[in-house]
Amino acid sequence: MAKATYKDAGVDLDLYQKAMSSINPLLAKTHVAQKSRVMELPGGFAGLFRLNNPEPGPSGRQYEDPVLVSGTDGVGTKIKVAIQAEVYNTIGIDLVAMCVNDCLCLGAEPLFFLDYIALGKDDPERLVELMEGVTKGCVYSKAALLGGETAIMPDLYGDGDFDMAGFCVGVVERNQVLDGQAIQSGDVVLGLESSGFHSNGYSLIRKVVFEMAGLDVNDQIEELNQRTVASVLLEPTRIYAEAVNSIFQSYPDEIVISGLAHITGGGLVENVERILPQNRRIDLKKSAWEVPAAFRWLQSLGSIDEEEMFRVFNMGIGLVAIVRAQHAEEVQEKLQAQQIPSHVLGKVVQGEKEVTLS
């Protein structure tokens, strides 16, 4: 009788070790911004991170009453587009962005990130490509990639299939937590531009683009300056951490940003309403910004109702910042200096809690 081995069952431990050794240099790149807080632990079963920064100077932040903020997310069926296009080095940016941008909405400074990647078979080259994206996302966020898990699961995932999940931990002073209660009448609502579809609505996108329209990932889109379907659909999610945290640090002793909303599934109305306190209302104006051409192309391609578009997609606004009126113009200037254009979408007024879009 033949002896059974793990390799025969679909998991090659030697190949797995090769893949793991290729990842270590990528992790090291993400430790630069937090180098004095990441504690080395070779061969450890978990990662170690110092909450207070021992280094003096602007980067040496200390906390008096710290609150840890955590968030987790995935990338959804955008992964299917990456598989179709055989482009694997950007989807990790989306993964980090979806987690970090959520934590940012509580006013948190991102500290570290953990990833989980599951594949149908050992594939060191693909794993390294996926981790390249995660690494870039962590560098953009100034978050250390502290560890993670790679699972090889034959039979559960088919050849070529994979999935990703991420976990971000940040920190904020307790008296600076953005819970929406600081939002007051007269505050200005700023919409920070997205980089595209980000990572929401891809089940609808794939149905329209590939099923209804019959397009291929390599087809060029005339309405979008001959960009390929893959390049449009795989545009990485914008990460707002550095720009927003620079604003927090510019005004350490006063409330300038009173609320932040990450615009994901549910669109502008539902996500902004989540952070609005009682007795406050906002009327967002569609005329405040020009919806990017990619959204109009998709809408036309699938004959999607306007209301459906604005509920499923960000429509060009990836993050909403509610700011004190006297600082609005200055905040916009600071965002623009970080290459993030923004638009005044409306104002907070007194009234029954509601967000409208007109």
Side-chain angles (χ1 to χ4, degrees):
M1 182 177 178
K3 294 182 179 180
T5 67
Y6 209 6
K7 185 174 182 178
D8 292 336
V11 181
D12 186 332
L13 290 176
D14 292 329
L15 202 57
Y16 180 83
Q17 288 299 327
K18 178 183 177 182
M20 293 303 100
S21 63
S22 300
I23 290 174
N24 289 334
L26 297 176
L27 267 70
K29 291 181 181 179
T30 72
H31 294 179
V32 174
Q34 302 281 6
K35 62 181 179 180
S36 60
R37 295 161 95 170
V38 176
M39 298 173 64
E40 296 298 328
L41 187 68
F45 287 92
L48 297 174
F49 191 96
R50 300 179 68 172
L51 182 56
N52 282 324
N53 195 332
E55 284 192 350
S59 64
R61 296 183 64 175
Q62 305 291 318
Y63 293 90
E64 295 178 4
D65 190 7
V67 174
L68 292 179
V69 178
S70 65
T72 182
D73 210 336
V75 188
T77 60
K78 189 171 184 174
I79 284 176
K80 296 290 287 185
V81 182
I83 292 171
Q84 284 177 258
E86 297 184 332
V87 175
Y88 305 109
N89 62 353
T90 61
I91 200 80
I93 300 174
D94 294 285
L95 180 65
V96 176
M98 296 303 289
C99 300
V100 166
N101 288 342
D102 276 355
C103 290
L104 191 65
C105 291
L106 278 295
E109 171 202 5
L111 296 178
F112 58 85
F113 191 81
L114 304 172
D115 70 291
Y116 171 84
I117 300 177
L119 304 97
K121 67 175 183 179
D122 297 284
D123 190 339
E125 290 185 8
R126 178 171 302 182
L127 182 59
V128 169
E129 287 183 87
L130 293 172
M131 291 303 302
E132 285 176 358
V134 175
T135 299
K136 288 179 182 177
C138 287
V139 170
Y140 298 157
S141 307
K142 296 189 184 304
L145 183 56
L146 202 59
E149 171 67 7
T150 301
I152 308 301
M153 296 192 284
D155 301 329
L156 189 58
Y157 293 93
D159 284 352
D161 286 340
F162 68 91
D163 198 9
M164 306 176 77
F167 313 86
C168 177
V169 172
V171 64
V172 60
E173 287 284 9
R174 184 176 178 181
N175 63 4
Q176 294 175 358
V177 173
L178 291 183
D179 58 5
Q181 295 308 304
I183 296 173
Q184 62 186 29
S185 181
D187 283 355
V188 173
V189 182
L190 298 181
L192 282 61
E193 289 189 5
S194 68
S195 56
F197 293 109
H198 284 186
S199 299
N200 295 102
Y202 272 78
S203 293
L204 176 56
I205 291 172
R206 291 185 305 107
K207 179 179 177 63
V208 169
V209 174
F210 302 121
E211 185 180 323
M212 295 174 62
L215 296 178
D216 181 80
V217 288
N218 296 315
D219 287 341
Q220 293 182 317
I221 306 169
E222 184 177 349
E223 302 94 317
L224 301 179
N225 299 318
Q226 303 301 322
R227 290 183 66 187
T228 66
V229 170
S231 71
V232 172
L233 299 190
L234 292 177
E235 184 70 42
T237 304
R238 173 168 272 163
I239 296 174
Y240 299 94
E242 185 173 3
V244 171
N245 272 305
S246 71
I247 294 171
F248 287 142
Q249 292 169 22
S250 296
Y251 307 94
D253 300 319
E254 61 178 315
I255 296 175
V256 172
I257 297 178
S258 58
L260 286 168
H262 186 197
I263 309 306
T264 54
L268 277 164
V269 170
E270 293 181 24
N271 284 292
V272 173
E273 195 168 85
R274 289 169 64 177
I275 66 170
L276 205 59
Q278 296 299 322
N279 303 316
R280 301 287 185 271
R281 60 169 287 127
I282 298 172
D283 182 19
L284 302 171
K285 298 297 183 183
K286 294 180 183 177
S287 58
W289 82 101
E290 184 177 350
V291 173
F295 294 92
R296 294 307 184 195
W297 162 74
L298 180 73
Q299 183 178 11
S300 176
L301 202 63
S303 299
I304 306 172
D305 290 340
E306 184 88 347
E307 183 178 352
E308 180 78 352
M309 289 292 296
F310 273 90
R311 189 173 188 196
V312 175
F313 302 110
N314 66 63
M315 300 302 281
I317 301 296
L319 190 78
V320 164
I322 300 178
V323 304
R324 294 292 189 249
Q326 65 269 29
H327 293 295
E329 187 174 338
E330 190 174 349
V331 168
Q332 284 191 280
E333 291 173 358
K334 290 181 181 296
L335 290 170
Q336 186 62 52
Q338 298 269 358
Q339 286 77 53
I340 299 181
S342 61
H343 309 273
V344 176
L345 305 184
K347 286 190 175 182
V348 179
V349 297
Q350 198 78 11
E352 186 177 346
K353 179 179 176 177
E354 185 182 20
V355 177
T356 63
L357 183 64
S358 60

Short mmCIF file of all heavy atoms in Angstrom, two decimals, residues 310-338:
data_model
loop_
_atom_site.label_atom_id
_atom_site.label_comp_id
_atom_site.label_asym_id
_atom_site.label_seq_id
_atom_site.Cartn_x
_atom_site.Cartn_y
_atom_site.Cartn_z
N PHE A 310 -26.09 55.46 -7.60
CA PHE A 310 -25.67 56.22 -6.43
C PHE A 310 -25.80 55.42 -5.14
O PHE A 310 -25.21 55.80 -4.13
CB PHE A 310 -26.48 57.52 -6.33
CG PHE A 310 -25.87 58.65 -7.12
CD1 PHE A 310 -26.23 58.86 -8.44
CD2 PHE A 310 -24.94 59.49 -6.55
CE1 PHE A 310 -25.67 59.90 -9.18
CE2 PHE A 310 -24.36 60.53 -7.26
CZ PHE A 310 -24.72 60.74 -8.60
N ARG A 311 -26.54 54.33 -5.16
CA ARG A 311 -26.62 53.50 -3.96
C ARG A 311 -25.54 52.43 -3.93
O ARG A 311 -25.06 52.05 -2.87
CB ARG A 311 -27.99 52.83 -3.86
CG ARG A 311 -28.15 52.15 -2.52
CD ARG A 311 -29.53 51.60 -2.27
NE ARG A 311 -29.63 51.14 -0.89
CZ ARG A 311 -30.59 50.35 -0.45
NH1 ARG A 311 -31.53 49.93 -1.28
NH2 ARG A 311 -30.61 49.96 0.80
N VAL A 312 -25.12 51.95 -5.10
CA VAL A 312 -24.14 50.87 -5.16
C VAL A 312 -22.71 51.39 -5.17
O VAL A 312 -21.82 50.81 -4.54
CB VAL A 312 -24.38 49.99 -6.41
CG1 VAL A 312 -23.29 48.92 -6.56
CG2 VAL A 312 -25.76 49.34 -6.34
N PHE A 313 -22.45 52.51 -5.87
CA PHE A 313 -21.09 52.97 -6.13
C PHE A 313 -20.79 54.30 -5.43
O PHE A 313 -21.70 55.03 -5.03
CB PHE A 313 -20.86 53.11 -7.64
CG PHE A 313 -21.10 51.85 -8.39
CD1 PHE A 313 -22.19 51.72 -9.23
CD2 PHE A 313 -20.23 50.76 -8.28
CE1 PHE A 313 -22.43 50.55 -9.94
CE2 PHE A 313 -20.46 49.59 -8.97
CZ PHE A 313 -21.55 49.47 -9.81
N ASN A 314 -19.50 54.62 -5.34
CA ASN A 314 -19.11 55.89 -4.72
C ASN A 314 -19.28 57.08 -5.66
O ASN A 314 -19.26 58.22 -5.22
CB ASN A 314 -17.67 55.82 -4.18
CG ASN A 314 -16.63 55.68 -5.29
OD1 ASN A 314 -16.47 56.55 -6.14
ND2 ASN A 314 -15.89 54.57 -5.28
N MET A 315 -19.41 56.81 -6.95
CA MET A 315 -19.67 57.83 -7.98
C MET A 315 -18.62 58.95 -8.00
O MET A 315 -18.90 60.09 -8.35
CB MET A 315 -21.07 58.42 -7.80
CG MET A 315 -22.18 57.40 -7.93
SD MET A 315 -22.18 56.52 -9.52
CE MET A 315 -22.95 57.74 -10.57
N GLY A 316 -17.41 58.62 -7.59
CA GLY A 316 -16.31 59.59 -7.66
C GLY A 316 -15.94 60.23 -6.35
O GLY A 316 -14.98 61.00 -6.27
N ILE A 317 -16.69 59.92 -5.28
CA ILE A 317 -16.40 60.46 -3.94
C ILE A 317 -16.11 59.28 -3.02
O ILE A 317 -17.01 58.54 -2.63
CB ILE A 317 -17.57 61.30 -3.39
CG1 ILE A 317 -17.88 62.47 -4.32
CG2 ILE A 317 -17.25 61.79 -1.98
CD1 ILE A 317 -16.77 63.49 -4.46
N GLY A 318 -14.85 59.11 -2.64
CA GLY A 318 -14.46 57.95 -1.85
C GLY A 318 -14.49 58.15 -0.36
O GLY A 318 -14.58 57.18 0.40
N LEU A 319 -14.41 59.41 0.09
CA LEU A 319 -14.43 59.71 1.52
C LEU A 319 -15.09 61.06 1.71
O LEU A 319 -14.86 61.98 0.92
CB LEU A 319 -12.99 59.76 2.07
CG LEU A 319 -12.85 59.83 3.60
CD1 LEU A 319 -13.08 58.45 4.22
CD2 LEU A 319 -11.46 60.34 4.00
N VAL A 320 -15.92 61.16 2.72
CA VAL A 320 -16.55 62.44 3.07
C VAL A 320 -15.97 62.91 4.40
O VAL A 320 -15.93 62.15 5.38
CB VAL A 320 -18.08 62.31 3.16
CG1 VAL A 320 -18.69 63.50 3.88
CG2 VAL A 320 -18.67 62.18 1.76
N ALA A 321 -15.52 64.17 4.41
CA ALA A 321 -15.01 64.79 5.63
C ALA A 321 -15.93 65.96 5.99
O ALA A 321 -16.18 66.83 5.15
CB ALA A 321 -13.58 65.28 5.43
N ILE A 322 -16.43 65.94 7.20
CA ILE A 322 -17.24 67.05 7.70
C ILE A 322 -16.32 67.92 8.56
O ILE A 322 -15.71 67.44 9.52
CB ILE A 322 -18.44 66.53 8.50
CG1 ILE A 322 -19.32 65.66 7.59
CG2 ILE A 322 -19.26 67.69 9.07
CD1 ILE A 322 -20.52 65.04 8.29
N VAL A 323 -16.18 69.19 8.16
CA VAL A 323 -15.18 70.06 8.79
C VAL A 323 -15.80 71.37 9.24
O VAL A 323 -16.85 71.79 8.74
CB VAL A 323 -14.01 70.34 7.81
CG1 VAL A 323 -13.38 69.03 7.33
CG2 VAL A 323 -14.46 71.16 6.61
N ARG A 324 -15.14 72.01 10.20
CA ARG A 324 -15.58 73.32 10.65
C ARG A 324 -15.48 74.32 9.50
O ARG A 324 -14.49 74.34 8.76
CB ARG A 324 -14.72 73.79 11.82
CG ARG A 324 -14.87 72.95 13.08
CD ARG A 324 -16.26 73.12 13.69
NE ARG A 324 -16.34 72.49 15.01
CZ ARG A 324 -17.08 71.39 15.27
NH1 ARG A 324 -17.79 70.83 14.29
NH2 ARG A 324 -17.11 70.90 16.50
N ALA A 325 -16.49 75.16 9.37
CA ALA A 325 -16.59 76.07 8.23
C ALA A 325 -15.38 76.98 8.09
O ALA A 325 -14.89 77.22 6.98
CB ALA A 325 -17.87 76.90 8.34
N GLN A 326 -14.85 77.46 9.22
CA GLN A 326 -13.74 78.42 9.15
C GLN A 326 -12.44 77.78 8.66
O GLN A 326 -11.49 78.47 8.28
CB GLN A 326 -13.51 79.08 10.52
CG GLN A 326 -13.05 78.16 11.64
CD GLN A 326 -14.20 77.57 12.43
OE1 GLN A 326 -15.29 77.39 11.89
NE2 GLN A 326 -13.97 77.30 13.71
N HIS A 327 -12.39 76.43 8.67
CA HIS A 327 -11.18 75.74 8.24
C HIS A 327 -11.35 75.02 6.89
O HIS A 327 -10.40 74.41 6.40
CB HIS A 327 -10.76 74.72 9.29
CG HIS A 327 -10.30 75.31 10.58
ND1 HIS A 327 -9.17 76.09 10.68
CD2 HIS A 327 -10.83 75.26 11.83
CE1 HIS A 327 -9.01 76.47 11.94
NE2 HIS A 327 -10.01 75.98 12.65
N ALA A 328 -12.54 75.07 6.31
CA ALA A 328 -12.84 74.26 5.12
C ALA A 328 -11.89 74.54 3.97
O ALA A 328 -11.35 73.62 3.34
CB ALA A 328 -14.28 74.48 4.70
N GLU A 329 -11.69 75.80 3.66
CA GLU A 329 -10.83 76.15 2.53
C GLU A 329 -9.39 75.69 2.77
O GLU A 329 -8.72 75.16 1.87
CB GLU A 329 -10.88 77.66 2.28
CG GLU A 329 -10.15 78.08 1.02
CD GLU A 329 -10.33 79.56 0.71
OE1 GLU A 329 -11.31 80.16 1.20
OE2 GLU A 329 -9.48 80.12 -0.03
N GLU A 330 -8.91 75.88 3.98
CA GLU A 330 -7.54 75.49 4.31
C GLU A 330 -7.38 73.96 4.25
O GLU A 330 -6.36 73.45 3.78
CB GLU A 330 -7.19 75.99 5.71
CG GLU A 330 -5.72 75.84 6.07
CD GLU A 330 -5.40 76.49 7.40
OE1 GLU A 330 -6.26 77.24 7.93
OE2 GLU A 330 -4.29 76.27 7.93
N VAL A 331 -8.40 73.23 4.72
CA VAL A 331 -8.35 71.77 4.64
C VAL A 331 -8.31 71.31 3.19
O VAL A 331 -7.55 70.41 2.83
CB VAL A 331 -9.58 71.16 5.36
CG1 VAL A 331 -9.71 69.67 5.03
CG2 VAL A 331 -9.45 71.34 6.87
N GLN A 332 -9.09 71.96 2.34
CA GLN A 332 -9.07 71.61 0.92
C GLN A 332 -7.69 71.85 0.30
O GLN A 332 -7.22 71.05 -0.52
CB GLN A 332 -10.13 72.41 0.15
CG GLN A 332 -11.54 71.90 0.37
CD GLN A 332 -12.53 72.52 -0.60
OE1 GLN A 332 -12.97 73.66 -0.41
NE2 GLN A 332 -12.87 71.79 -1.64
N GLU A 333 -7.05 72.91 0.71
CA GLU A 333 -5.70 73.20 0.21
C GLU A 333 -4.71 72.12 0.65
O GLU A 333 -3.85 71.69 -0.13
CB GLU A 333 -5.25 74.58 0.69
CG GLU A 333 -6.00 75.74 0.04
CD GLU A 333 -5.66 77.08 0.66
OE1 GLU A 333 -4.85 77.10 1.63
OE2 GLU A 333 -6.19 78.11 0.19
N LYS A 334 -4.84 71.69 1.89
CA LYS A 334 -3.94 70.65 2.40
C LYS A 334 -4.18 69.32 1.67
O LYS A 334 -3.23 68.58 1.38
CB LYS A 334 -4.13 70.48 3.92
CG LYS A 334 -3.61 71.65 4.74
CD LYS A 334 -3.81 71.41 6.23
CE LYS A 334 -3.33 72.58 7.06
NZ LYS A 334 -1.86 72.79 6.94
N LEU A 335 -5.43 69.01 1.39
CA LEU A 335 -5.74 67.79 0.65
C LEU A 335 -5.20 67.86 -0.77
O LEU A 335 -4.64 66.89 -1.29
CB LEU A 335 -7.26 67.58 0.62
CG LEU A 335 -7.92 67.21 1.95
CD1 LEU A 335 -9.43 67.28 1.84
CD2 LEU A 335 -7.49 65.81 2.40
N GLN A 336 -5.35 69.01 -1.39
CA GLN A 336 -4.84 69.17 -2.76
C GLN A 336 -3.33 69.03 -2.80
O GLN A 336 -2.77 68.48 -3.76
CB GLN A 336 -5.25 70.55 -3.30
CG GLN A 336 -4.90 70.77 -4.78
CD GLN A 336 -5.61 69.81 -5.70
OE1 GLN A 336 -6.83 69.68 -5.66
NE2 GLN A 336 -4.85 69.12 -6.55
N ALA A 337 -2.66 69.49 -1.76
CA ALA A 337 -1.20 69.34 -1.69
C ALA A 337 -0.79 67.88 -1.62
O ALA A 337 0.34 67.52 -1.98
CB ALA A 337 -0.66 70.10 -0.48
N GLN A 338 -1.71 67.02 -1.17
CA GLN A 338 -1.48 65.57 -1.12
C GLN A 338 -2.07 64.87 -2.35
O GLN A 338 -2.26 63.66 -2.36
CB GLN A 338 -2.12 64.99 0.14
CG GLN A 338 -1.55 65.52 1.43
CD GLN A 338 -0.39 64.68 1.95
OE1 GLN A 338 -0.04 63.67 1.37
NE2 GLN A 338 0.22 65.11 3.03
#
